[in-house]
Amino acid sequence: MKKSVFVKVLAILTAAVLLLASFAGCASNENTASESKASDASQTDSSASNVVYRTLDEIKSSGKIKIGVFSDKNPFGYVDENGEYQGYDVYFANRLVKDLGVEVEFVSTEAASRVEFLETGKVDVVLANFTVTDERAEKVDFALPYMNVALGVVSPDSRVIKSLDELKADDEVIVITGTTAETYLTEKYPNIKLQKYDTYANAKTALENGQAAAWANDNTEVIAYALQNKGYTVGIPELGSKDTIAPAVSKGNKTLLDWINSEIEALGKENFFHADYEATLAGTYGKDYEEKLVVEGGKVE
């Protein structure tokens, strides 16, 4: 009898051990599945976190839109003596804000920061004399254009540069980092020495101090500079291809892009951009440049 009882107890203990092992295995599988789901969720969240822009509805709900503009590029975007943003781009920005029904937060940007500010969500829109290029269009979404532009070169009257071929081996040309002028000269004229500056103010100071033979930039900028500063001439009014200036939003922000495009088309019907030119640029360029520069309603002639 004692041997029989021992055998029965041993059998019961063995069964219990097997049952516990089975429960442990199930628990382990459940934990693994949970960890896998958590990992998948984490990856989904990480992927979703790459979207940094605010949609049109989110901007309206917040009551404020953040617009990147220049603070030192008169007459397109600059801060006046009262600390207020002014200029052609700012005039347009204020109308967008009014029609959207929100407040505005202007964010000062430099040329090289425009794409980064959109990619990181620091601004919702860039209105900073932004030339449309294929390279930039891979990183941001451009709306319809509102201005024509080409590259130009300004130089001192003491030695007006009318062709880049006139530059000597030791001559240097000023450019702003992140501009189409920098890209164009680097690709098309790699032998030309470039002086690169982050701000327009520093570029102008360098030209005035005789640190370079010329300054290459948007022709609108160098023409304005020559008109406002005696002793300088735009010897090359058009360099390279003719391009356009347009607002830009973060890549994929379709709702905001569609609204801006509709706004530009609607503003064109009232000749808004001609009014903008006359209010902000006519004092610099006069009437002669108006039809050459203004793009009305997003339609390039």
Side-chain angles (χ1 to χ4, degrees):
M1 292 291 291
K2 291 182 178 179
K3 183 177 180 180
S4 176
V5 171
F6 175 76
V7 171
K8 289 180 179 179
V9 170
L10 183 60
I12 292 170
L13 290 173
T14 300
V17 170
L18 291 174
L19 183 61
L20 288 172
S22 176
F23 284 150
C26 291
S28 176
N29 289 338
E30 290 176 358
N31 288 337
T32 300
S34 297
E35 291 172 359
S36 177
K37 290 179 180 179
S39 176
D40 290 343
S42 175
Q43 291 176 1
T44 300
D45 291 342
S46 176
S47 177
S49 68
N50 290 330
V51 179
V52 296
Y53 60 75
R54 298 191 301 162
T55 65
L56 180 65
D57 286 341
E58 288 172 335
I59 292 170
K60 287 181 177 179
S61 296
S62 73
K64 178 181 290 186
I65 188 170
K66 297 178 290 183
I67 301 181
V69 295
F70 284 129
S71 60
D72 63 348
K73 192 175 182 181
N74 186 351
F76 299 96
Y78 65 99
V79 177
D80 66 15
E81 63 276 8
N82 298 316
E84 299 292 332
Y85 282 93
Q86 304 289 351
Y88 186 76
D89 294 336
V90 176
Y91 188 101
F92 176 29
N94 284 327
R95 179 59 184 268
L96 288 181
V97 171
K98 177 183 176 182
D99 291 349
L100 191 57
V102 296
E103 295 181 355
V104 64
E105 177 185 341
F106 286 122
V107 179
S108 178
T109 182
E110 295 174 356
S113 303
R114 292 173 293 192
V115 170
E116 176 194 346
F117 278 17
L118 287 171
E119 289 181 326
T120 58
K122 188 169 184 178
V123 298
D124 301 302
V125 184
V126 164
L127 283 174
N129 218 230
F130 211 2
T131 303
V132 179
T133 67
D134 292 339
E135 181 181 5
R136 289 169 176 169
E138 293 177 359
K139 299 178 180 179
V140 303
D141 284 338
F142 284 103
L144 294 171
Y146 61 95
M147 175 173 272
N148 291 310
V149 69
L151 296 179
V153 178
V154 62
S155 48
D157 287 349
S158 57
R159 184 190 168 201
V160 177
I161 302 299
K162 296 183 179 180
S163 169
L164 294 179
D165 295 332
E166 296 175 6
L167 293 170
K168 300 176 183 178
D170 57 347
D171 284 334
E172 296 186 4
V173 175
I174 295 167
V175 294
I176 307 295
T177 303
T179 61
T180 50
E182 178 193 19
T183 302
Y184 179 82
L185 292 178
T186 299
E187 293 179 353
K188 303 296 184 181
Y189 294 87
N191 293 327
I192 292 180
K193 297 178 181 178
L194 302 181
Q195 280 187 27
K196 301 181 181 182
Y197 296 92
D198 290 331
T199 68
Y200 287 89
N202 288 339
K204 293 172 183 177
T205 299
L207 182 67
E208 291 163 3
N209 288 341
Q211 295 174 221
W215 174 24
N217 203 67
D218 289 353
N219 62 353
T220 53
E221 173 65 21
V222 295
I223 290 170
Y225 179 83
L227 291 172
Q228 294 171 341
N229 297 271
K230 292 182 178 180
Y232 295 90
T233 297
V234 178
I236 307 176
E238 288 190 1
L239 179 67
S241 62
K242 294 182 179 180
D243 298 305
T244 57
I245 301 295
V249 301
S250 300
K251 198 71 178 175
N253 195 353
K254 188 175 186 304
T255 57
L256 182 57
L257 182 68
D258 288 347
W259 184 84
I260 293 175
N261 281 336
S262 296
E263 179 76 354
I264 290 173
E265 291 175 341
L267 292 176
K269 295 176 182 178
E270 61 180 75
N271 284 325
F272 169 83
F273 293 98
H274 281 80
D276 188 350
Y277 179 96
E278 290 165 12
T280 62
L281 301 184
T284 299
Y285 298 103
K287 298 287 290 184
D288 293 342
Y289 284 97
E290 185 167 354
E291 295 307 320
K292 295 179 181 178
L293 298 181
V294 174
V295 174
E296 199 67 77
K299 299 178 181 178
V300 179
E301 298 296 333

